[in-house]
Amino acid sequence: DVQLQASGGGLVQAGGSLRLSCSISGSGFSFDDYVIGWFRQAPGQEREVSSCISSSDRSTYYGDSVKGRFTLSTDNAKNTVYLQMNSLKPEDTAAYYCASGRSFLTRRYEDAYDFWGHGTLVTVSS
């Protein structure tokens, strides 16, 4: 199994920044070959993928709503994937989840992710 732990959420004013961390462990996970997605779910809305990273070719994906403001990075020594969120907007308010996926090609589909961490709440005040 794979365990993921998302952290780093909090309350921030519009225009501010936060860095979320996704710590990954478990015998079924390889930091040499992984796909990690960050999803978010705002109150009353469906969960959507905001960003994704693949280790095989260092591919990254960012949704249109976060492109240019969010940046993914990794620290293999710490088995951690980070999501740096800058220029935050009130509409970024959501619970953020990291998940381990099977393929970068299916990054947008929740069903393509096998393991999920608990969410971390991000609240952006106006």
Side-chain angles (χ1 to χ4, degrees):
D1 279 0
V2 178
Q3 292 83 45
L4 300 100
Q5 178 65 50
S7 62
L11 174 63
V12 64
Q13 288 187 333
S17 299
L18 281 175
R19 188 178 75 162
L20 304 185
S21 300
C22 179
S23 298
I24 308 154
S25 62
S27 59
F29 185 83
S30 170
F31 237 85
D32 295 325
D33 183 15
Y34 64 82
V35 172
I36 295 295
W38 280 97
F39 286 75
R40 66 184 188 179
Q41 186 168 21
Q45 297 187 20
E46 294 186 354
R47 190 157 56 184
E48 63 174 7
V49 62
S50 70
S51 56
C52 180
I53 186 167
S54 169
S55 66
S56 60
D57 58 1
R58 307 303 296 170
S59 294
T60 54
Y61 163 82
Y62 299 95
D64 289 341
S65 60
V66 307
K67 198 173 297 182
R69 300 186 297 121
F70 289 13
T71 304
L72 288 159
S73 63
T74 63
D75 185 336
N76 287 10
K78 295 183 178 180
N79 285 6
T80 301
V81 174
Y82 300 101
L83 181 65
Q84 179 67 42
M85 306 186 297
N86 297 329
S87 301
L88 283 162
K89 306 174 181 180
E91 50 264 44
D92 294 318
T93 294
Y96 284 73
Y97 303 84
C98 59
S100 173
R102 299 174 219 137
S103 170
F104 191 72
L105 294 175
T106 54
R107 58 192 176 271
R108 294 189 179 187
Y109 305 104
E110 287 190 42
D111 291 348
Y113 291 80
D114 295 317
F115 301 97
W116 292 77
H118 294 295
T120 185
L121 185 61
V122 172
T123 304
V124 184
S125 63
S126 57

